Amino acid sequence: MLGVIGGSGLYDLKGLNIINEHEVKTPFGAPSAPILEGEFSDQKILFLSRHGKGHQFLPHEVNYRANIFALKKLGATKVFGVSAAGSLREEIKPGDLAMPSQYFDHTRGQRDYTFFGNGIAGHVSTAHPVCPALSGDIESAAKRLKLDIHTGKSYGCVEGPRLGTQSESFFLRDQAKCDLVGMTNVPEVFLAREAQMAYSTVCLVTDYDCWMEDPSQHVSVEKFFEVYGGALNKAQDLLAELLKSPLTETPDSIRNSLAASILTPDEAISEEQMHWLNVLRG
């Protein structure tokens, strides 16, 4: 089943026929909002608002672990993320859609980055953090809609909530070789891999961050809202088209990513920890 995580401005999903609303308790606290179970394009999906109802949580305040764990516990095996991003490349224009395949973590350690620790040692490979099968399905859906989407891009994740300096923008663009900048995909993408879930995000490009010399092109909340609505409609159309065809099976390297990643033997893991670990392994 597909889990959809909506970013800024996407607090519910237009066209979602809601079947159930789940208040999920997790060992990692509460998710950002109740998870909606429903039908969209005749397919059952789960929907979660990343920032909560009415945008309650700043990026570093989002309980990413609870969000991913709750979706997995309810049966999601794939995650389609939607998030706003700034462009660090002139050819990626405001209003465009883009899909990262790589991530550069430029956050500051305020977030809970892993399910592991406190007695469980695990090291999951994230050399290729995005699911190629799910990304390929999304790209195919975009082609059927004749919708342009930039693929294979690198996303630099910053801490926020402030908007970045021009020096930081140049660093991400020129030294880290990032194409996009945002505040929310880390650690979400890495937690999905620890939960053995396929993950891919569609970024809605709202601005040119602040690397351009022309200050009228720099990111602002006002500019964000000018562009975001149109890009959001494209993303919802893309999701509807994606669900019209069966999704490609997730590669074994993702579905079994924990098989050789946990160093702590099962007999050394407490019963309580084994309970949630088995959810991730499921």
Side-chain angles (χ1 to χ4, degrees):
M1 182 164 44
L2 185 69
V4 178
I5 299 179
S8 299
L10 187 55
Y11 312 121
D12 52 44
L13 196 58
K14 182 177 64 178
L16 178 66
N17 178 29
I18 299 172
I19 299 170
N20 206 343
E21 184 173 302
H22 298 275
E23 297 272 2
V24 184
K25 293 181 179 179
T26 86
F28 310 99
S32 298
I35 295 176
L36 304 179
E37 178 185 352
E39 291 182 349
F40 188 80
S41 286
D42 297 322
Q43 296 290 330
K44 184 181 285 188
I45 68 166
L46 299 170
F47 176 82
L48 172 63
S49 174
R50 183 186 290 116
H51 294 280
K53 290 183 176 179
H55 208 123
Q56 299 164 288
F57 302 112
L58 291 169
H60 70 278
E61 295 176 323
V62 172
N63 192 338
Y64 297 97
R65 291 193 301 176
N67 287 351
I68 292 296
F69 187 89
L71 288 170
K72 182 66 183 284
K73 185 177 180 180
L74 291 174
T77 57
K78 305 172 190 289
V79 175
F80 177 102
V82 179
S83 59
S87 169
L88 299 172
R89 305 293 166 190
E90 192 166 1
E91 66 272 16
I92 305 175
K93 300 177 176 61
D96 286 358
L97 302 183
M99 276 198 303
S101 60
Q102 282 293 328
Y103 285 91
F104 180 82
D105 183 1
H106 201 51
T107 60
R108 294 291 184 270
Q110 298 187 59
R111 312 175 187 205
D112 290 317
Y113 292 93
T114 179
F115 290 110
F116 303 126
N118 298 311
I120 304 180
H123 303 276
V124 172
S125 172
T126 58
H128 300 286
V130 170
C131 177
L134 181 56
S135 293
D137 288 343
I138 295 169
E139 187 175 0
S140 295
K143 286 180 179 178
R144 293 196 297 271
L145 289 175
K146 295 181 170 54
L147 187 64
D148 291 333
I149 187 166
H150 303 275
T151 59
K153 301 306 175 186
S154 182
Y155 176 116
C157 190
V158 297
E159 192 67 77
R162 66 173 175 83
L163 304 176
T165 69
Q166 195 168 60
S167 179
E168 290 166 333
S169 193
F170 277 123
F171 173 82
L172 290 170
R173 179 180 184 270
D174 298 329
Q175 274 69 51
K177 306 299 182 186
C178 295
D179 307 296
L180 304 162
V181 57
M183 299 181 186
T184 58
N185 281 196
V186 172
E188 190 175 271
V189 57
F190 304 132
L191 290 166
R193 180 58 56 88
E194 288 187 351
Q196 303 190 135
M197 302 169 79
Y199 182 94
S200 188
T201 284
V202 172
C203 290
L204 317 184
V205 179
T206 58
D207 53 76
Y208 278 117
D209 199 47
C210 61
W211 59 273
M212 284 188 165
E213 292 302 321
D214 181 0
S216 69
Q217 297 291 339
H218 291 184
V219 57
S220 67
V221 173
E222 181 182 17
K223 188 172 291 294
F224 171 94
F225 283 113
E226 282 179 11
V227 176
Y228 193 74
L232 187 57
N233 289 334
K234 292 179 187 177
Q236 293 199 98
D237 290 344
L238 180 57
L239 176 59
E241 182 64 31
L242 173 69
L243 290 170
K244 288 180 180 177
S245 300
L247 297 178
T248 303
E249 189 171 339
T250 303
D252 285 344
S253 59
I254 296 173
R255 288 292 301 129
N256 298 299
S257 60
L258 296 183
S261 299
I262 298 174
L263 304 182
T264 308
D266 284 358
E267 55 269 23
I269 298 173
S270 72
E271 184 178 345
E272 182 180 357
Q273 289 174 317
M274 186 59 72
H275 179 74
W276 62 254
L277 183 57
N278 284 337
V279 173
L280 300 185
R281 284 170 164 169

